[in-house]
Amino acid sequence: MIVSICNEKGGSGKSSIAINLAVYLGSIGEKVLLVDADPQQSVAVFNRLREEAGLEPAFDYAVSDLSPKKVDINELTEKYDCIIVDTGGRDSSEMRNAIVLSDLIIVPTSPTSDIDIAVVEKMIHLFDEAKKFNTKSKALITLSRATPNTFLTKKIEISKSYLRGLLKGKERVSLLKSTIYEREAFSKALSSGMGITEFVDDKHKAHQDFMSFFKELEKYASDSEI
């Protein structure tokens, strides 16, 4: 299975989701390749921090633009249970390649930024175009980096309502019910070279946020292995 984390808007939490997903899948015995298609190469920084902390690699790692001329996807999918692709925060050939090749496209967006929410519409359009080449792919919109401030709960619900309206009538595109909040534990975990499920136990809200997200992801990937 190929899972790409895509949004042409930077700062939406793509790398955090990609790394945490790769670490967790690796921890439960999956053979995982994390492809860094982001020019900022945040995953490379994470791997360096993990090595400095004396921790074993959590996943296999490669830097690639996923160009069909350079990458044999069939060979990779035979070797790995899951290939996760972290893309950059702009519209690029790397991101479009990832969308076309993926079984699942995850589009994280901040519910408290009207600009971020507006960009989702373009991402849905890109997915619709990609479906012409990959008819079995699915796109999942997830609220990410949401402030846990209870005074902004209404803003999150307004964003969800807007997105549900945007997705009405769209095929193979869904809005996840779970929300990944902007919790300090996520940034501390990455700075320590660890995934959130390694860094805190299952009683911590950040751990619970991620697992709620993962369980929904499993549901939508139920017709494939993940």
Side-chain angles (χ1 to χ4, degrees), residues 17-56:
I17 289 174
I19 291 169
N20 280 297
L21 185 57
V23 170
Y24 180 70
L25 285 171
S27 75
I28 60 174
E30 297 291 299
K31 180 71 171 173
V32 181
L33 173 67
L34 180 45
V35 176
D36 198 342
D38 181 354
Q40 292 186 354
Q41 294 188 9
S42 299
V43 182
V45 175
F46 171 82
N47 282 338
R48 176 176 57 79
L49 292 169
R50 189 174 181 89
E51 182 179 3
E52 291 173 354
L55 300 170
E56 292 293 322

PDB file of all heavy atoms in Angstrom, residues 17-56:
ATOM      1  N   ILE A  17       2.715  13.772  10.579  1.00  0.00           N
ATOM      2  CA  ILE A  17       1.835  12.633  10.335  1.00  0.00           C
ATOM      3  C   ILE A  17       2.609  11.503   9.655  1.00  0.00           C
ATOM      4  O   ILE A  17       2.497  10.334  10.041  1.00  0.00           O
ATOM      5  CB  ILE A  17       0.625  13.059   9.479  1.00  0.00           C
ATOM      6  CG1 ILE A  17      -0.319  13.935  10.308  1.00  0.00           C
ATOM      7  CG2 ILE A  17      -0.121  11.833   8.936  1.00  0.00           C
ATOM      8  CD1 ILE A  17      -1.470  14.521   9.515  1.00  0.00           C
ATOM      9  N   ALA A  18       3.414  11.838   8.646  1.00  0.00           N
ATOM     10  CA  ALA A  18       4.171  10.822   7.913  1.00  0.00           C
ATOM     11  C   ALA A  18       5.119  10.064   8.845  1.00  0.00           C
ATOM     12  O   ALA A  18       5.180   8.826   8.821  1.00  0.00           O
ATOM     13  CB  ALA A  18       4.949  11.467   6.772  1.00  0.00           C
ATOM     14  N   ILE A  19       5.853  10.801   9.674  1.00  0.00           N
ATOM     15  CA  ILE A  19       6.824  10.179  10.570  1.00  0.00           C
ATOM     16  C   ILE A  19       6.128   9.332  11.627  1.00  0.00           C
ATOM     17  O   ILE A  19       6.509   8.180  11.877  1.00  0.00           O
ATOM     18  CB  ILE A  19       7.712  11.250  11.226  1.00  0.00           C
ATOM     19  CG1 ILE A  19       8.629  11.885  10.183  1.00  0.00           C
ATOM     20  CG2 ILE A  19       8.534  10.652  12.372  1.00  0.00           C
ATOM     21  CD1 ILE A  19       9.355  13.123  10.661  1.00  0.00           C
ATOM     22  N   ASN A  20       5.105   9.886  12.260  1.00  0.00           N
ATOM     23  CA  ASN A  20       4.408   9.139  13.305  1.00  0.00           C
ATOM     24  C   ASN A  20       3.735   7.884  12.762  1.00  0.00           C
ATOM     25  O   ASN A  20       3.720   6.838  13.427  1.00  0.00           O
ATOM     26  CB  ASN A  20       3.391  10.041  14.009  1.00  0.00           C
ATOM     27  CG  ASN A  20       4.033  10.939  15.032  1.00  0.00           C
ATOM     28  OD1 ASN A  20       4.605  10.477  16.021  1.00  0.00           O
ATOM     29  ND2 ASN A  20       3.957  12.244  14.818  1.00  0.00           N
ATOM     30  N   LEU A  21       3.210   7.983  11.564  1.00  0.00           N
ATOM     31  CA  LEU A  21       2.578   6.818  10.938  1.00  0.00           C
ATOM     32  C   LEU A  21       3.628   5.753  10.632  1.00  0.00           C
ATOM     33  O   LEU A  21       3.419   4.561  10.905  1.00  0.00           O
ATOM     34  CB  LEU A  21       1.855   7.254   9.658  1.00  0.00           C
ATOM     35  CG  LEU A  21       1.037   6.198   8.919  1.00  0.00           C
ATOM     36  CD1 LEU A  21      -0.013   5.586   9.828  1.00  0.00           C
ATOM     37  CD2 LEU A  21       0.377   6.813   7.690  1.00  0.00           C
ATOM     38  N   ALA A  22       4.771   6.165  10.088  1.00  0.00           N
ATOM     39  CA  ALA A  22       5.840   5.221   9.758  1.00  0.00           C
ATOM     40  C   ALA A  22       6.396   4.549  11.014  1.00  0.00           C
ATOM     41  O   ALA A  22       6.617   3.334  11.036  1.00  0.00           O
ATOM     42  CB  ALA A  22       6.956   5.937   9.000  1.00  0.00           C
ATOM     43  N   VAL A  23       6.613   5.338  12.071  1.00  0.00           N
ATOM     44  CA  VAL A  23       7.136   4.789  13.318  1.00  0.00           C
ATOM     45  C   VAL A  23       6.161   3.774  13.913  1.00  0.00           C
ATOM     46  O   VAL A  23       6.555   2.677  14.334  1.00  0.00           O
ATOM     47  CB  VAL A  23       7.427   5.915  14.338  1.00  0.00           C
ATOM     48  CG1 VAL A  23       7.727   5.323  15.720  1.00  0.00           C
ATOM     49  CG2 VAL A  23       8.592   6.774  13.875  1.00  0.00           C
ATOM     50  N   TYR A  24       4.880   4.137  13.951  1.00  0.00           N
ATOM     51  CA  TYR A  24       3.903   3.237  14.561  1.00  0.00           C
ATOM     52  C   TYR A  24       3.761   1.945  13.764  1.00  0.00           C
ATOM     53  O   TYR A  24       3.755   0.849  14.342  1.00  0.00           O
ATOM     54  CB  TYR A  24       2.542   3.920  14.696  1.00  0.00           C
ATOM     55  CG  TYR A  24       1.516   2.997  15.328  1.00  0.00           C
ATOM     56  CD1 TYR A  24       1.624   2.644  16.676  1.00  0.00           C
ATOM     57  CD2 TYR A  24       0.487   2.446  14.580  1.00  0.00           C
ATOM     58  CE1 TYR A  24       0.726   1.760  17.263  1.00  0.00           C
ATOM     59  CE2 TYR A  24      -0.421   1.571  15.156  1.00  0.00           C
ATOM     60  CZ  TYR A  24      -0.297   1.232  16.500  1.00  0.00           C
ATOM     61  OH  TYR A  24      -1.190   0.352  17.072  1.00  0.00           O
ATOM     62  N   LEU A  25       3.658   2.049  12.437  1.00  0.00           N
ATOM     63  CA  LEU A  25       3.526   0.838  11.625  1.00  0.00           C
ATOM     64  C   LEU A  25       4.748  -0.063  11.795  1.00  0.00           C
ATOM     65  O   LEU A  25       4.625  -1.284  11.884  1.00  0.00           O
ATOM     66  CB  LEU A  25       3.337   1.214  10.154  1.00  0.00           C
ATOM     67  CG  LEU A  25       1.963   1.760   9.772  1.00  0.00           C
ATOM     68  CD1 LEU A  25       1.981   2.300   8.352  1.00  0.00           C
ATOM     69  CD2 LEU A  25       0.897   0.682   9.904  1.00  0.00           C
ATOM     70  N   GLY A  26       5.925   0.560  11.864  1.00  0.00           N
ATOM     71  CA  GLY A  26       7.129  -0.227  12.094  1.00  0.00           C
ATOM     72  C   GLY A  26       7.105  -0.929  13.439  1.00  0.00           C
ATOM     73  O   GLY A  26       7.560  -2.071  13.569  1.00  0.00           O
ATOM     74  N   SER A  27       6.528  -0.273  14.447  1.00  0.00           N
ATOM     75  CA  SER A  27       6.495  -0.838  15.797  1.00  0.00           C
ATOM     76  C   SER A  27       5.566  -2.041  15.907  1.00  0.00           C
ATOM     77  O   SER A  27       5.701  -2.854  16.830  1.00  0.00           O
ATOM     78  CB  SER A  27       6.075   0.229  16.817  1.00  0.00           C
ATOM     79  OG  SER A  27       4.683   0.508  16.750  1.00  0.00           O
ATOM     80  N   ILE A  28       4.615  -2.160  14.993  1.00  0.00           N
ATOM     81  CA  ILE A  28       3.688  -3.295  15.033  1.00  0.00           C
ATOM     82  C   ILE A  28       4.064  -4.365  14.004  1.00  0.00           C
ATOM     83  O   ILE A  28       3.267  -5.240  13.676  1.00  0.00           O
ATOM     84  CB  ILE A  28       2.218  -2.849  14.851  1.00  0.00           C
ATOM     85  CG1 ILE A  28       1.990  -2.149  13.511  1.00  0.00           C
ATOM     86  CG2 ILE A  28       1.792  -1.955  15.996  1.00  0.00           C
ATOM     87  CD1 ILE A  28       0.525  -1.818  13.224  1.00  0.00           C
ATOM     88  N   GLY A  29       5.295  -4.254  13.494  1.00  0.00           N
ATOM     89  CA  GLY A  29       5.820  -5.319  12.649  1.00  0.00           C
ATOM     90  C   GLY A  29       5.683  -5.141  11.159  1.00  0.00           C
ATOM     91  O   GLY A  29       6.034  -6.053  10.391  1.00  0.00           O
ATOM     92  N   GLU A  30       5.196  -3.980  10.704  1.00  0.00           N
ATOM     93  CA  GLU A  30       5.087  -3.744   9.273  1.00  0.00           C
ATOM     94  C   GLU A  30       6.450  -3.347   8.694  1.00  0.00           C
ATOM     95  O   GLU A  30       7.256  -2.672   9.342  1.00  0.00           O
ATOM     96  CB  GLU A  30       4.079  -2.627   8.993  1.00  0.00           C
ATOM     97  CG  GLU A  30       2.659  -2.938   9.430  1.00  0.00           C
ATOM     98  CD  GLU A  30       2.019  -4.018   8.585  1.00  0.00           C
ATOM     99  OE1 GLU A  30       1.868  -3.822   7.376  1.00  0.00           O
ATOM    100  OE2 GLU A  30       1.680  -5.076   9.151  1.00  0.00           O
ATOM    101  N   LYS A  31       6.707  -3.762   7.474  1.00  0.00           N
ATOM    102  CA  LYS A  31       7.910  -3.362   6.752  1.00  0.00           C
ATOM    103  C   LYS A  31       7.583  -2.042   6.052  1.00  0.00           C
ATOM    104  O   LYS A  31       6.771  -2.008   5.123  1.00  0.00           O
ATOM    105  CB  LYS A  31       8.289  -4.434   5.736  1.00  0.00           C
ATOM    106  CG  LYS A  31       9.529  -4.145   4.920  1.00  0.00           C
ATOM    107  CD  LYS A  31      10.799  -4.249   5.727  1.00  0.00           C
ATOM    108  CE  LYS A  31      12.021  -4.164   4.813  1.00  0.00           C
ATOM    109  NZ  LYS A  31      13.288  -4.100   5.572  1.00  0.00           N
ATOM    110  N   VAL A  32       8.206  -0.960   6.506  1.00  0.00           N
ATOM    111  CA  VAL A  32       7.803   0.386   6.082  1.00  0.00           C
ATOM    112  C   VAL A  32       8.951   1.117   5.386  1.00  0.00           C
ATOM    113  O   VAL A  32      10.087   1.108   5.857  1.00  0.00           O
ATOM    114  CB  VAL A  32       7.335   1.228   7.288  1.00  0.00           C
ATOM    115  CG1 VAL A  32       6.886   2.618   6.837  1.00  0.00           C
ATOM    116  CG2 VAL A  32       6.207   0.523   8.026  1.00  0.00           C
ATOM    117  N   LEU A  33       8.615   1.768   4.285  1.00  0.00           N
ATOM    118  CA  LEU A  33       9.533   2.691   3.613  1.00  0.00           C
ATOM    119  C   LEU A  33       8.926   4.079   3.676  1.00  0.00           C
ATOM    120  O   LEU A  33       7.781   4.282   3.255  1.00  0.00           O
ATOM    121  CB  LEU A  33       9.746   2.289   2.150  1.00  0.00           C
ATOM    122  CG  LEU A  33      10.565   3.284   1.300  1.00  0.00           C
ATOM    123  CD1 LEU A  33      12.013   3.342   1.789  1.00  0.00           C
ATOM    124  CD2 LEU A  33      10.498   2.915  -0.182  1.00  0.00           C
ATOM    125  N   LEU A  34       9.665   5.038   4.208  1.00  0.00           N
ATOM    126  CA  LEU A  34       9.220   6.432   4.212  1.00  0.00           C
ATOM    127  C   LEU A  34       9.998   7.174   3.135  1.00  0.00           C
ATOM    128  O   LEU A  34      11.223   7.308   3.205  1.00  0.00           O
ATOM    129  CB  LEU A  34       9.449   7.063   5.587  1.00  0.00           C
ATOM    130  CG  LEU A  34       9.038   8.523   5.774  1.00  0.00           C
ATOM    131  CD1 LEU A  34       7.664   8.816   5.172  1.00  0.00           C
ATOM    132  CD2 LEU A  34       9.052   8.904   7.247  1.00  0.00           C
ATOM    133  N   VAL A  35       9.288   7.631   2.125  1.00  0.00           N
ATOM    134  CA  VAL A  35       9.888   8.358   1.011  1.00  0.00           C
ATOM    135  C   VAL A  35       9.778   9.852   1.278  1.00  0.00           C
ATOM    136  O   VAL A  35       8.683  10.369   1.491  1.00  0.00           O
ATOM    137  CB  VAL A  35       9.192   8.008  -0.323  1.00  0.00           C
ATOM    138  CG1 VAL A  35       9.773   8.844  -1.462  1.00  0.00           C
ATOM    139  CG2 VAL A  35       9.322   6.520  -0.626  1.00  0.00           C
ATOM    140  N   ASP A  36      10.910  10.522   1.264  1.00  0.00           N
ATOM    141  CA  ASP A  36      10.940  11.961   1.499  1.00  0.00           C
ATOM    142  C   ASP A  36      10.942  12.676   0.151  1.00  0.00           C
ATOM    143  O   ASP A  36      11.954  12.748  -0.538  1.00  0.00           O
ATOM    144  CB  ASP A  36      12.199  12.322   2.293  1.00  0.00           C
ATOM    145  CG  ASP A  36      12.090  13.686   2.950  1.00  0.00           C
ATOM    146  OD1 ASP A  36      11.224  14.471   2.531  1.00  0.00           O
ATOM    147  OD2 ASP A  36      12.866  13.972   3.876  1.00  0.00           O
ATOM    148  N   ALA A  37       9.769  13.192  -0.230  1.00  0.00           N
ATOM    149  CA  ALA A  37       9.646  13.952  -1.474  1.00  0.00           C
ATOM    150  C   ALA A  37       9.481  15.434  -1.176  1.00  0.00           C
ATOM    151  O   ALA A  37       8.996  16.199  -2.003  1.00  0.00           O
ATOM    152  CB  ALA A  37       8.453  13.432  -2.290  1.00  0.00           C
ATOM    153  N   ASP A  38       9.866  15.825   0.040  1.00  0.00           N
ATOM    154  CA  ASP A  38       9.800  17.214   0.484  1.00  0.00           C
ATOM    155  C   ASP A  38      11.207  17.805   0.417  1.00  0.00           C
ATOM    156  O   ASP A  38      12.124  17.290   1.055  1.00  0.00           O
ATOM    157  CB  ASP A  38       9.281  17.261   1.923  1.00  0.00           C
ATOM    158  CG  ASP A  38       9.144  18.673   2.462  1.00  0.00           C
ATOM    159  OD1 ASP A  38       9.566  19.625   1.771  1.00  0.00           O
ATOM    160  OD2 ASP A  38       8.623  18.830   3.576  1.00  0.00           O
ATOM    161  N   PRO A  39      11.415  18.884  -0.349  1.00  0.00           N
ATOM    162  CA  PRO A  39      12.747  19.484  -0.454  1.00  0.00           C
ATOM    163  C   PRO A  39      13.347  19.883   0.902  1.00  0.00           C
ATOM    164  O   PRO A  39      14.567  19.930   1.049  1.00  0.00           O
ATOM    165  CB  PRO A  39      12.509  20.725  -1.335  1.00  0.00           C
ATOM    166  CG  PRO A  39      11.296  20.377  -2.144  1.00  0.00           C
ATOM    167  CD  PRO A  39      10.440  19.560  -1.225  1.00  0.00           C
ATOM    168  N   GLN A  40      12.507  20.139   1.899  1.00  0.00           N
ATOM    169  CA  GLN A  40      13.014  20.496   3.224  1.00  0.00           C
ATOM    170  C   GLN A  40      13.603  19.294   3.970  1.00  0.00           C
ATOM    171  O   GLN A  40      14.363  19.455   4.912  1.00  0.00           O
ATOM    172  CB  GLN A  40      11.901  21.131   4.061  1.00  0.00           C
ATOM    173  CG  GLN A  40      11.445  22.485   3.560  1.00  0.00           C
ATOM    174  CD  GLN A  40      10.451  23.150   4.498  1.00  0.00           C
ATOM    175  OE1 GLN A  40      10.011  22.564   5.487  1.00  0.00           O
ATOM    176  NE2 GLN A  40      10.102  24.374   4.177  1.00  0.00           N
ATOM    177  N   GLN A  41      13.222  18.094   3.546  1.00  0.00           N
ATOM    178  CA  GLN A  41      13.748  16.845   4.099  1.00  0.00           C
ATOM    179  C   GLN A  41      13.696  16.808   5.633  1.00  0.00           C
ATOM    180  O   GLN A  41      14.681  16.526   6.313  1.00  0.00           O
ATOM    181  CB  GLN A  41      15.172  16.604   3.588  1.00  0.00           C
ATOM    182  CG  GLN A  41      15.194  16.362   2.085  1.00  0.00           C
ATOM    183  CD  GLN A  41      16.551  15.938   1.551  1.00  0.00           C
ATOM    184  OE1 GLN A  41      17.465  15.661   2.306  1.00  0.00           O
ATOM    185  NE2 GLN A  41      16.673  15.897   0.244  1.00  0.00           N
ATOM    186  N   SER A  42      12.513  17.050   6.153  1.00  0.00           N
ATOM    187  CA  SER A  42      12.298  16.988   7.606  1.00  0.00           C
ATOM    188  C   SER A  42      12.549  15.585   8.144  1.00  0.00           C
ATOM    189  O   SER A  42      12.978  15.411   9.289  1.00  0.00           O
ATOM    190  CB  SER A  42      10.867  17.423   7.944  1.00  0.00           C
ATOM    191  OG  SER A  42      10.630  18.741   7.529  1.00  0.00           O
ATOM    192  N   VAL A  43      12.287  14.573   7.313  1.00  0.00           N
ATOM    193  CA  VAL A  43      12.480  13.190   7.757  1.00  0.00           C
ATOM    194  C   VAL A  43      13.962  12.913   7.992  1.00  0.00           C
ATOM    195  O   VAL A  43      14.331  12.196   8.926  1.00  0.00           O
ATOM    196  CB  VAL A  43      11.897  12.196   6.740  1.00  0.00           C
ATOM    197  CG1 VAL A  43      12.057  10.766   7.247  1.00  0.00           C
ATOM    198  CG2 VAL A  43      10.423  12.485   6.473  1.00  0.00           C
ATOM    199  N   ALA A  44      14.826  13.484   7.165  1.00  0.00           N
ATOM    200  CA  ALA A  44      16.263  13.308   7.343  1.00  0.00           C
ATOM    201  C   ALA A  44      16.710  13.884   8.684  1.00  0.00           C
ATOM    202  O   ALA A  44      17.551  13.295   9.382  1.00  0.00           O
ATOM    203  CB  ALA A  44      17.021  13.967   6.194  1.00  0.00           C
ATOM    204  N   VAL A  45      16.136  15.017   9.063  1.00  0.00           N
ATOM    205  CA  VAL A  45      16.456  15.633  10.354  1.00  0.00           C
ATOM    206  C   VAL A  45      16.001  14.721  11.487  1.00  0.00           C
ATOM    207  O   VAL A  45      16.730  14.493  12.467  1.00  0.00           O
ATOM    208  CB  VAL A  45      15.793  17.021  10.481  1.00  0.00           C
ATOM    209  CG1 VAL A  45      16.025  17.601  11.876  1.00  0.00           C
ATOM    210  CG2 VAL A  45      16.335  17.967   9.416  1.00  0.00           C
ATOM    211  N   PHE A  46      14.791  14.181  11.353  1.00  0.00           N
ATOM    212  CA  PHE A  46      14.273  13.256  12.371  1.00  0.00           C
ATOM    213  C   PHE A  46      15.192  12.049  12.520  1.00  0.00           C
ATOM    214  O   PHE A  46      15.524  11.642  13.645  1.00  0.00           O
ATOM    215  CB  PHE A  46      12.862  12.800  11.996  1.00  0.00           C
ATOM    216  CG  PHE A  46      12.331  11.694  12.861  1.00  0.00           C
ATOM    217  CD1 PHE A  46      11.775  11.973  14.097  1.00  0.00           C
ATOM    218  CD2 PHE A  46      12.405  10.360  12.450  1.00  0.00           C
ATOM    219  CE1 PHE A  46      11.292  10.945  14.915  1.00  0.00           C
ATOM    220  CE2 PHE A  46      11.929   9.341  13.252  1.00  0.00           C
ATOM    221  CZ  PHE A  46      11.369   9.636  14.488  1.00  0.00           C
ATOM    222  N   ASN A  47      15.609  11.477  11.404  1.00  0.00           N
ATOM    223  CA  ASN A  47      16.482  10.302  11.462  1.00  0.00           C
ATOM    224  C   ASN A  47      17.815  10.623  12.127  1.00  0.00           C
ATOM    225  O   ASN A  47      18.362   9.790  12.868  1.00  0.00           O
ATOM    226  CB  ASN A  47      16.710   9.751  10.055  1.00  0.00           C
ATOM    227  CG  ASN A  47      15.533   8.952   9.534  1.00  0.00           C
ATOM    228  OD1 ASN A  47      14.723   8.450  10.314  1.00  0.00           O
ATOM    229  ND2 ASN A  47      15.416   8.837   8.225  1.00  0.00           N
ATOM    230  N   ARG A  48      18.341  11.810  11.879  1.00  0.00           N
ATOM    231  CA  ARG A  48      19.598  12.211  12.525  1.00  0.00           C
ATOM    232  C   ARG A  48      19.408  12.329  14.032  1.00  0.00           C
ATOM    233  O   ARG A  48      20.251  11.859  14.811  1.00  0.00           O
ATOM    234  CB  ARG A  48      20.091  13.539  11.943  1.00  0.00           C
ATOM    235  CG  ARG A  48      21.341  14.072  12.632  1.00  0.00           C
ATOM    236  CD  ARG A  48      21.849  15.332  11.975  1.00  0.00           C
ATOM    237  NE  ARG A  48      20.845  16.384  11.925  1.00  0.00           N
ATOM    238  CZ  ARG A  48      20.537  17.164  12.955  1.00  0.00           C
ATOM    239  NH1 ARG A  48      21.117  16.994  14.135  1.00  0.00           N
ATOM    240  NH2 ARG A  48      19.631  18.115  12.831  1.00  0.00           N
ATOM    241  N   LEU A  49      18.301  12.940  14.448  1.00  0.00           N
ATOM    242  CA  LEU A  49      18.018  13.085  15.872  1.00  0.00           C
ATOM    243  C   LEU A  49      17.831  11.716  16.528  1.00  0.00           C
ATOM    244  O   LEU A  49      18.274  11.490  17.657  1.00  0.00           O
ATOM    245  CB  LEU A  49      16.761  13.940  16.079  1.00  0.00           C
ATOM    246  CG  LEU A  49      16.888  15.418  15.690  1.00  0.00           C
ATOM    247  CD1 LEU A  49      15.514  16.086  15.698  1.00  0.00           C
ATOM    248  CD2 LEU A  49      17.830  16.146  16.636  1.00  0.00           C
ATOM    249  N   ARG A  50      17.208  10.811  15.807  1.00  0.00           N
ATOM    250  CA  ARG A  50      16.987   9.463  16.341  1.00  0.00           C
ATOM    251  C   ARG A  50      18.324   8.729  16.508  1.00  0.00           C
ATOM    252  O   ARG A  50      18.560   8.064  17.523  1.00  0.00           O
ATOM    253  CB  ARG A  50      16.055   8.673  15.411  1.00  0.00           C
ATOM    254  CG  ARG A  50      15.588   7.335  16.001  1.00  0.00           C
ATOM    255  CD  ARG A  50      14.565   6.659  15.103  1.00  0.00           C
ATOM    256  NE  ARG A  50      14.117   5.403  15.697  1.00  0.00           N
ATOM    257  CZ  ARG A  50      13.092   5.275  16.527  1.00  0.00           C
ATOM    258  NH1 ARG A  50      12.403   6.349  16.879  1.00  0.00           N
ATOM    259  NH2 ARG A  50      12.748   4.097  17.008  1.00  0.00           N
ATOM    260  N   GLU A  51      19.185   8.874  15.536  1.00  0.00           N
ATOM    261  CA  GLU A  51      20.499   8.240  15.612  1.00  0.00           C
ATOM    262  C   GLU A  51      21.307   8.820  16.774  1.00  0.00           C
ATOM    263  O   GLU A  51      21.964   8.071  17.525  1.00  0.00           O
ATOM    264  CB  GLU A  51      21.254   8.435  14.300  1.00  0.00           C
ATOM    265  CG  GLU A  51      22.609   7.762  14.270  1.00  0.00           C
ATOM    266  CD  GLU A  51      23.326   7.958  12.948  1.00  0.00           C
ATOM    267  OE1 GLU A  51      22.795   8.676  12.067  1.00  0.00           O
ATOM    268  OE2 GLU A  51      24.439   7.420  12.792  1.00  0.00           O
ATOM    269  N   GLU A  52      21.252  10.156  16.936  1.00  0.00           N
ATOM    270  CA  GLU A  52      21.976  10.811  18.022  1.00  0.00           C
ATOM    271  C   GLU A  52      21.460  10.372  19.390  1.00  0.00           C
ATOM    272  O   GLU A  52      22.206  10.367  20.375  1.00  0.00           O
ATOM    273  CB  GLU A  52      21.878  12.330  17.879  1.00  0.00           C
ATOM    274  CG  GLU A  52      22.655  12.878  16.683  1.00  0.00           C
ATOM    275  CD  GLU A  52      22.417  14.369  16.456  1.00  0.00           C
ATOM    276  OE1 GLU A  52      21.557  14.948  17.169  1.00  0.00           O
ATOM    277  OE2 GLU A  52      23.071  14.940  15.572  1.00  0.00           O
ATOM    278  N   ALA A  53      20.179  10.008  19.448  1.00  0.00           N
ATOM    279  CA  ALA A  53      19.582   9.542  20.704  1.00  0.00           C
ATOM    280  C   ALA A  53      19.901   8.068  20.978  1.00  0.00           C
ATOM    281  O   ALA A  53      19.507   7.534  22.018  1.00  0.00           O
ATOM    282  CB  ALA A  53      18.074   9.750  20.674  1.00  0.00           C
ATOM    283  N   GLY A  54      20.607   7.430  20.042  1.00  0.00           N
ATOM    284  CA  GLY A  54      20.982   6.033  20.226  1.00  0.00           C
ATOM    285  C   GLY A  54      19.858   5.059  19.972  1.00  0.00           C
ATOM    286  O   GLY A  54      19.900   3.917  20.453  1.00  0.00           O
ATOM    287  N   LEU A  55      18.861   5.466  19.198  1.00  0.00           N
ATOM    288  CA  LEU A  55      17.713   4.611  18.910  1.00  0.00           C
ATOM    289  C   LEU A  55      17.879   3.915  17.564  1.00  0.00           C
ATOM    290  O   LEU A  55      18.470   4.460  16.633  1.00  0.00           O
ATOM    291  CB  LEU A  55      16.425   5.440  18.896  1.00  0.00           C
ATOM    292  CG  LEU A  55      16.080   6.167  20.207  1.00  0.00           C
ATOM    293  CD1 LEU A  55      14.929   7.136  19.976  1.00  0.00           C
ATOM    294  CD2 LEU A  55      15.728   5.161  21.301  1.00  0.00           C
ATOM    295  N   GLU A  56      17.348   2.717  17.474  1.00  0.00           N
ATOM    296  CA  GLU A  56      17.388   1.969  16.223  1.00  0.00           C
ATOM    297  C   GLU A  56      16.502   2.660  15.179  1.00  0.00           C
ATOM    298  O   GLU A  56      15.488   3.284  15.526  1.00  0.00           O
ATOM    299  CB  GLU A  56      16.897   0.536  16.440  1.00  0.00           C
ATOM    300  CG  GLU A  56      17.824  -0.323  17.291  1.00  0.00           C
ATOM    301  CD  GLU A  56      19.133  -0.597  16.592  1.00  0.00           C
ATOM    302  OE1 GLU A  56      19.137  -0.794  15.356  1.00  0.00           O
ATOM    303  OE2 GLU A  56      20.173  -0.604  17.295  1.00  0.00           O
TER     304      GLU A  56
END
